[in-house]
Amino acid sequence: MPCPVQHNADGIPLVHAIPEDVQADRERLHQEGPLTRVELPGGVMAWATTHHEVSKQTLNDPRLVKSVDHWADYQNGVVTKEWPLMATIPTDGVNMLALDGDAHRRLRTLTAAPFSARRVERLRPRIERLTALYLDALEERAHEPQDLKSLFTFKVPIGVIAELYGIEEKEGVDLGEMYAKLFSGTTEPGEHIEIYGALFQFFTEVVARKRATLDECDDFTADLIRTGSEGEDGLDDMEIVVTLLTVVAAGHETTVNLLTNAVRALLKHPEQHELLKRGEVSWEDVVEETLRYDPPNNVMMFRFATEDIEVAGRTIKKGEALMTHYGAATRDRAEFGEDVHVFDPKRTRGRHITFGYGPHICPGAPLSRLEAGIILPMLFERFPDLRLAVPDEELEVVAALASNSLKEFPVVLRPRDA
């Protein structure tokens, strides 16, 4: 169902912070691909990959780097720190999301242990307890409309982050709310800088607190501090703080959106839900198809060309920015077949790259998958008849270009007529 994309006066597609229809927007941009010039909010120009193979190719190309030192528009002042979408682009020299090559490999290696399968699996009992706790809290109003996002799919993952970091649950909730605002794309000019400063101060205090009681701590934060104490190449406090800040940014919102989008997909496609109930598809199948069909992260911004690069018959010039449009890439027929608009957990063709590809593949993917594999079955076991409280078309998308999130997710967990 190709639809015309809105274009600027030069015929370049416009990419809005608030797409009217997320799925249609992905299809429209996919039709412009595999590599297209786009205009972002504020008139900022960039390139976007919108097909699967080209996205993989560029994500793994060492000539495209993460450091804003190579972004001509930023260095020349065309884009300033006040641009609202700068919240999605790390500009410091200690964030592994902004590093490449040896510097990036060093940080990935030093922070790998806390994301190991063993560390992640140790969180299973806590995830199960948190899930049961918040399911219990939903019982009192189970017959009435409730916002499943704010009361459940937000609270459990942020509780897991709090457990992972060794901080109080209330601190975790405050963090989640700050990050939601940080990445909304609708902050006032310069407001994201204030939020980032508050986050930096919070994590600085957490590290100081942990360091003072390190022998009593067994959590992600303590692991990073101990790594910093092991040899002269260990993490310094600045790197620890920025790593903590980055992990929440990369992991929490993704998991919240994955959970919400999976529930939405099952409610919107009852025939697939029936296959799940009959055991003809697994929860793992549902999670992976959700990551393909309705990915929690819509766009990854940015990589910058260190030289002129030929891609898909076009030239990304030195200093230009490239974003990966994961949402558009999910519409690639060559990878997934002609039925890309269908939510099909039995799909065997294609392999999504929603958690990234290449050196910067998301280290938190195992934790996100573990959470979804625990939380979703427990939700539907407790409330097998849950349904939307409003028509699906009335659900409102959050104003965020990078992520794919609903503002609210009103459901009735135990309908009286079920």
Side-chain angles (χ1 to χ4, degrees):
M1 54 175 189
C3 302
V5 186
Q6 289 183 301
H7 297 78
N8 67 13
D10 296 321
I12 294 173
L14 299 170
V15 176
H16 300 287
I18 315 174
E20 291 183 9
D21 184 326
V22 172
Q23 298 286 17
D25 196 58
R26 292 167 178 165
E27 175 64 22
R28 293 168 189 149
L29 284 168
H30 180 77
Q31 294 297 330
E32 292 282 333
L35 176 74
T36 183
R37 191 82 165 140
V38 296
E39 180 181 326
L40 296 165
V44 174
M45 305 303 297
W47 291 93
T49 60
T50 61
H51 286 199
H52 185 84
E53 281 303 319
V54 170
S55 295
K56 286 176 63 178
Q57 173 190 339
T58 52
L59 286 168
N60 212 24
D61 192 326
R63 298 171 298 175
L64 290 158
V65 300
K66 298 288 290 182
S67 172
V68 294
D69 290 346
H70 296 276
W71 187 12
D73 282 349
Y74 186 72
Q75 296 303 319
N76 297 336
V78 174
V79 176
T80 69
K81 289 185 177 181
E82 283 70 38
W83 186 47
L85 295 181
M86 281 302 296
T88 67
I89 306 169
T91 58
D92 55 71
V94 294
N95 189 329
M96 64 180 166
L97 296 182
L99 297 173
D100 297 279
D102 291 341
H104 176 254
R105 281 188 289 274
R106 170 183 168 269
L107 277 182
R108 287 283 292 217
T109 300
L110 289 172
T111 59
F115 286 110
S116 67
R118 182 180 177 185
R119 166 65 80 180
V120 167
E121 184 60 32
R122 283 173 58 186
L123 289 170
R124 179 182 292 274
R126 179 58 175 166
I127 298 170
E128 292 172 345
R129 288 196 299 273
L130 280 170
T131 303
L133 176 69
Y134 285 114
L135 287 173
D136 289 344
L138 295 172
E139 285 283 2
E140 185 176 350
R141 296 180 53 226
H143 297 295
E144 306 169 19
Q146 298 186 71
D147 178 16
L148 192 68
K149 180 180 177 181
S150 65
L151 298 175
F152 185 72
T153 60
F154 172 88
K155 285 194 171 183
V156 180
I158 203 62
V160 173
I161 289 289
E163 174 76 9
L164 186 68
Y165 279 22
I167 61 176
E168 296 296 323
E169 184 179 339
K170 175 62 167 60
E171 292 179 307
V173 172
D174 292 342
L175 275 179
E177 292 173 352
M178 279 194 285
Y179 275 100
K181 185 151 183 116
L182 184 68
F183 291 122
S184 71
T186 58
T187 54
E188 296 298 321
E191 185 180 4
H192 65 277
I193 299 175
E194 296 178 12
I195 299 171
Y196 189 91
L199 289 168
F200 192 90
Q201 179 62 33
F202 170 80
F203 286 121
T204 298
E205 293 171 1
V206 169
V207 171
R209 196 166 72 213
K210 290 289 178 182
R211 191 178 289 284
T213 57
L214 192 58
D215 291 342
E216 305 168 16
C217 300
D218 181 22
D219 49 55
F220 179 59
T221 309
D223 284 351
L224 292 178
I225 294 172
R226 292 188 185 101
T227 299
S229 304
E230 296 170 0
E232 57 186 38
D233 192 40
L235 298 170
D236 61 33
D237 276 8
M238 176 72 76
E239 290 172 325
I240 294 170
V241 167
V242 173
T243 297
L244 292 171
L245 198 154
T246 302
V247 169
V248 181
H252 169 66
E253 181 80 1
T254 298
T255 304
V256 173
N257 296 345
L258 170 57
L259 294 171
T260 304
N261 295 352
V263 176
R264 182 185 186 186
L266 288 172
L267 298 185
K268 193 175 180 180
H269 301 86
E271 72 287 354
Q272 301 297 342
H273 194 185
E274 285 301 318
L275 293 178
L276 179 66
K277 291 177 181 177
R278 296 200 298 265
E280 296 181 35
V281 297
S282 67
W283 277 107
E284 181 181 357
D285 296 330
V286 169
V287 169
E288 294 307 314
E289 176 64 352
T290 301
L291 288 166
R292 197 282 312 169
Y293 170 78
D294 197 14
N297 47 322
N298 204 44
V299 170
M300 192 280 291
M301 299 166 55
F302 278 132
R303 279 177 167 76
F304 311 104
T306 57
E307 60 184 75
D308 290 359
I309 303 172
E310 296 294 323
V311 177
R314 308 190 74 172
T315 302
I316 304 173
K317 293 182 179 179
K318 180 180 179 179
E320 291 184 332
L322 171 73
M323 68 183 193
T324 305
H325 203 301
Y326 290 112
T330 67
R331 295 297 176 260
D332 198 318
R333 279 74 166 169
E335 178 69 16
F336 302 108
E338 291 300 319
D339 62 341
V340 291
H341 297 91
V342 176
F343 176 70
D344 180 12
K346 297 181 78 171
R347 186 181 304 276
T348 57
R349 180 172 173 178
R351 186 172 183 177
H352 69 78
I353 54 171
T354 294
F355 285 121
Y357 186 80
H360 283 274
I361 192 167
C362 178
L367 177 58
S368 187
R369 285 186 167 107
L370 177 67
E371 289 185 66
I374 294 171
I375 296 167
L376 291 169
M378 289 183 68
L379 170 66
F380 279 92
E381 285 167 12
R382 177 76 70 96
F383 302 111
D385 299 312
L386 78 90
R387 65 181 62 163
L388 283 174
V390 299
D392 183 85
E393 57 270 21
E394 292 183 13
L395 295 175
E396 195 173 349
V397 176
V398 170
L401 176 62
S403 64
N404 172 33
S405 181
L406 293 176
K407 224 173 237 188
E408 297 178 337
F409 193 35
V411 302
V412 178
L413 296 164
R414 193 172 285 121
R416 296 184 186 278
D417 58 354

